[in-house]
């Protein structure tokens, strides 16, 4: 009897922890979206920055993001740095949700992680090529991740 009760309490703690993490991730996506709008409206990314040339997409993108974090305007640097943090957080949250066997929330956290990673790739592409479509896709994928995190938090419930 004790082990069943202990297991239920542990499951409830994991659910509360995942719910809080999902809500924090959702909040960070909202902040990221706001920073992205600021970058889109008020920051001109120079065409000749490190990463704006080269044939290897991944090396080029790594240079672009490194430049944005280290030498970009404060808004661009914050947007790029928060994007990197969101990728790490999304992966951690997806792994925790899967290992906790969180059901629907686990699937939603995995979907959110894929959307965050897709948004990050489009952000790097926007820095590399300056294509408006990459900016649009980054925003739409970010909004999709926001929806997934909110639904994951909801599915975990406040009192379960």
């Amino acid at each position: 009897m004790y082990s069943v009760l202990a297991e239920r309490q542990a499951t409830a703690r994991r659910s509360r922890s995942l719910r809080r993490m999902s809500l924090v991730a959702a909040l960070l996506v909202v902040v990221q979206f706001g920073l992205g709008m600021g970058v889109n409206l008020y920051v001109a990314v120079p065409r000749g920055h490190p990463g704006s040339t080269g044939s290897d997409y991944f090396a080029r993108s790594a240079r672009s993001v490194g430049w944005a974090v280290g030498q970009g305007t404060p808004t661009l640097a914050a947007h790029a740095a928060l994007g990197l943090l969101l990728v790490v957080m999304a992966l951690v949250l997806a792994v925790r949700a899967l290992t906790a066997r969180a059901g629907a929330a686990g699937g939603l956290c995995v979907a959110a992680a894929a959307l965050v990673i897709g948004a990050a790739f489009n952000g790097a592409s926007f820095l590399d090529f300056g294509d408006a479509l990459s900016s649009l896709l980054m925003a739409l994928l970010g909004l999709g991740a926001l929806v997934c995190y909110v639904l994951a938090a909801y599915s975990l419930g406040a009192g379960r």
Side-chain angles (χ1 to χ4, degrees), residues 11 14 18 21 28 46-47 60 68 87 102 118 128 130 133 135 149 158 160:
T11 300
R14 283 191 298 271
L18 287 171
M21 286 180 70
L28 290 177
R47 291 207 177 269
R60 180 179 182 168
V87 166
D128 293 348
L133 178 61
S135 181
Y149 285 131
R160 288 186 210 160

Side-chain angles (χ1 to χ4, degrees), residues 90-129:
L91 292 170
V92 168
L93 186 50
V95 169
R96 286 198 62 196
L98 288 175
T99 57
R101 297 189 174 139
L108 288 162
C109 288
V110 169
L115 291 165
V116 166
I117 291 167
F121 272 106
N122 277 283
S125 291
F126 178 76
L127 285 173
D128 293 348
F129 307 110

Side-chain angles (χ1 to χ4, degrees), residues 32-56:
Q32 180 71 332
F33 193 84
L35 286 170
M37 288 193 322
V39 169
N40 198 17
L41 293 171
Y42 301 111
V43 175
V45 177
R47 291 207 177 269
H49 67 78
S52 61
T53 60
S55 59
D56 181 1

Side-chain angles (χ1 to χ4, degrees), residues 53-87:
T53 60
S55 59
D56 181 1
Y57 174 79
F58 294 106
R60 180 179 182 168
S61 294
R63 284 193 309 273
S64 289
V65 173
W67 168 83
V69 171
Q71 297 174 329
T73 64
T75 307
L76 177 60
H79 184 61
L82 182 55
L84 293 172
L85 174 68
L86 274 167
V87 166

